[in-house]
Amino acid sequence: MMWTGGPQSGAVEPVTDVKAAAADFNWLLNRFATETAGVVDVIGVSSDGLLIAVSQLRGQADSERLAAIVSGITSLAMGASGNYGLGSLNKVIIDLEEGHVLVSALGAGAVLGVVASKEAKLGNIAYEMTLFANRAGAALSPQLVMELKNTVGIAPAG
């Protein structure tokens, strides 16, 4: 029998692992945002529509507004899929007069929302979104999503 919370239980280890995984996820998100040409903003949104990651610290209301937009786009895409049997979400691309909004499935029901400039090469951004989803999405577990929700928008110490 294992004691919970004791040094042999490993109770400290998973917490550290989840915190490290959250730091890795945020690092990958920031890297995607800064190294992908044409990207203006990037967020991660959980399956329940809550913010899990942001590429830049800004007002909480702005981040939550973008999360709501991304969640709404996801919901509309799922509705279309259900009506026509088109399968699960891959990507949604909205072409606007002054830029683009892209939404892509990540894993664990989470999605990646990207705001891009009008000059952005959408093929490149879509490709980079797929790479990000393959790298970061595979690691998304319910525990990691919860940790990301609890720490979103908090600047790393140090």
Side-chain angles (χ1 to χ4, degrees):
M1 179 172 172
M2 250 187 188
W3 294 93
T4 57
Q8 291 82 21
S9 72
V12 174
E13 196 64 38
V15 171
T16 303
D17 288 348
V18 172
K19 288 190 183 305
D24 289 347
F25 185 90
N26 284 313
W27 180 82
L28 283 171
L29 185 97
N30 286 320
R31 184 172 171 221
F32 170 81
T34 58
E35 294 183 7
T36 306
V39 169
V40 174
D41 200 2
V42 181
I43 64 167
V45 179
S46 66
S47 60
D48 57 1
L50 298 177
L51 198 59
I52 61 171
V54 295
S55 65
Q56 52 184 298
L57 295 177
R58 68 174 98 58
Q60 186 71 16
D62 290 341
S63 296
E64 288 177 1
R65 188 174 301 112
L66 182 55
I69 291 166
V70 168
S71 182
I73 291 168
T74 303
S75 180
L76 289 170
M78 300 297 267
S81 171
N83 260 5
Y84 295 101
L86 299 174
S88 60
L89 173 71
N90 287 330
K91 283 183 191 49
V92 175
I93 300 172
I94 300 176
D95 183 15
L96 301 164
E97 188 176 330
E98 297 299 322
H100 311 278
V101 177
L102 298 89
V103 176
S104 177
L106 270 181
V111 293
L112 182 69
V114 175
V115 177
S117 67
K118 186 64 177 174
E119 299 77 27
K121 291 187 171 37
L122 295 181
N124 291 348
I125 292 176
Y127 174 75
E128 293 296 332
M129 289 174 81
T130 300
L131 288 180
F132 179 85
N134 289 341
R135 289 180 188 137
L140 278 179
S141 65
Q143 295 82 9
L144 178 54
V145 169
M146 186 60 68
E147 177 67 17
L148 288 165
K149 283 181 190 177
N150 291 334
T151 58
V152 67
I154 299 171

